[in-house]
Amino acid sequence: MAISSSTYFAAFLFLCFMAVVFLFSIRDVSITMGKQSPVEYFLSLFWIPVLFMVPLLTMRSLADELRRGTLGSLMTTAVSAWQIVLSKFMASYIFYCLLWVLTLGFVAITCWYIPHASGKDLFEVSQLITGYGFVFLTGAMYVAVGIFASSLTRTTLVAGMLSFGMLFFLITGAQIAENLPMSDSTISYVVSRLSECLHTFRQLEDFNNSLIDSRSLFFYISTTIALLAFTSLITESKNR
């Protein structure tokens, strides 16, 4: 994946946005007298930059290769479709994780200027590990969604729009579905079961409280693998 200057600019905007969110998190904690930690406030809005960063990171990954015809050249070498898709995924995912790792600098700066912040008053190591672990776990699936969307079209703009729509549904769909009136008990039961798997905000709250559900781990990992498998099949079929 070629990371263009626009991607670095988007990364800069991401860090600026998250810095503002972090400042407001510290302020809100001081106002509410610690009812929630800054990490909970900070990560509760993680989905907003995700909706924009992931499409920017992934929309050119395969769509641009298809448009320029270079994907066919890659397929004539010893490299398989699965290896191409996996390399595109890893490049985008590592960059995604790096951006979030950089936000830990906000915590380090706070602990430097507020000595007692490193204790249980503001930041707990276990909460940082589980909270950021959730961001990295879900990020794998979100990046896989972006790569999958990029394999469906030759136009990068369309790939970005598809990725944005899919991500918006995955992140907010469960919460929207819970508020829909349903008369059929069977449909209501199916929707409730699906919403348990897809309810991002409830799962984030559990992870922030160091409650790691194995079902969430299985769902996000298996969905990531399935999306990459489908993407490799689509990529291979387009170059036969």
Side-chain angles (χ1 to χ4, degrees):
M1 181 192 71
I3 299 178
S4 62
S5 57
S6 60
T7 305
Y8 285 109
F9 180 69
F12 173 74
L13 292 179
F14 165 83
L15 292 174
C16 290
F17 174 80
M18 297 311 293
V20 172
V21 172
F22 189 82
L23 286 174
F24 277 101
S25 301
I26 298 295
R27 189 203 65 173
D28 289 343
V29 167
S30 64
I31 293 174
T32 58
M33 301 300 291
K35 291 182 179 180
Q36 280 186 306
S37 70
V39 177
E40 291 180 79
Y41 278 107
F42 179 64
L43 294 181
S44 64
L45 295 176
F46 87 101
W47 58 278
I48 297 177
V50 163
L51 287 177
F52 299 96
M53 279 304 303
V54 171
L56 283 172
L57 288 175
T58 60
M59 65 184 184
R60 294 183 58 192
S61 56
L62 292 172
D64 204 41
E65 299 279 8
L66 287 168
R67 181 181 60 83
R68 294 185 298 174
T70 54
L71 190 59
S73 302
L74 286 174
M75 295 293 291
T76 58
T77 63
V79 180
S80 65
W82 172 254
Q83 290 173 317
I84 293 173
V85 170
L86 187 61
S87 64
K88 299 286 187 181
F89 167 78
M90 290 304 299
S92 300
Y93 181 61
I94 289 172
F95 193 80
Y96 172 87
C97 291
L98 177 62
L99 291 177
W100 280 103
V101 169
L102 290 175
T103 63
L104 287 172
F106 305 150
V107 179
I109 293 171
T110 305
C111 292
W112 176 267
Y113 285 100
I114 308 176
H116 71 274
S118 57
K120 291 187 177 181
D121 292 334
L122 283 180
F123 305 114
E124 291 187 27
V125 175
S126 60
Q127 192 174 61
L128 284 170
I129 293 173
T130 54
Y132 272 82
F134 180 80
V135 171
F136 297 147
L137 177 65
T138 56
M141 186 184 72
Y142 298 153
V143 171
V145 168
I147 299 293
F148 174 72
S150 184
S151 69
L152 298 176
T153 178
R154 296 174 182 268
T155 308
T156 55
L157 181 60
V158 174
M161 293 173 64
L162 283 173
S163 178
F164 179 89
M166 293 178 185
L167 291 172
F168 184 82
F169 172 76
L170 283 172
I171 295 173
T172 64
Q175 193 158 1
I176 294 173
E178 282 186 346
N179 298 323
L180 293 177
M182 297 179 188
S183 57
D184 193 312
S185 59
T186 304
I187 297 177
S188 178
Y189 174 77
V190 172
V191 170
S192 65
R193 296 298 294 177
L194 285 174
S195 65
E196 288 181 9
C197 296
L198 295 171
H199 206 300
T200 305
F201 304 107
R202 188 178 299 160
Q203 293 165 352
L204 174 61
E205 184 179 353
D206 291 339
F207 271 73
N208 279 331
N209 292 322
S210 300
L211 300 174
I212 301 176
D213 192 342
S214 58
R215 294 175 298 178
S216 300
L217 295 174
F218 175 78
F219 171 74
Y220 287 111
I221 293 173
S222 61
T223 304
T224 300
I225 295 173
L227 285 168
L228 293 178
F230 281 124
T231 305
S232 64
L233 290 174
I234 293 171
T235 302
E236 189 172 5
S237 67
K238 288 187 176 183
N239 289 277
R240 285 180 179 175

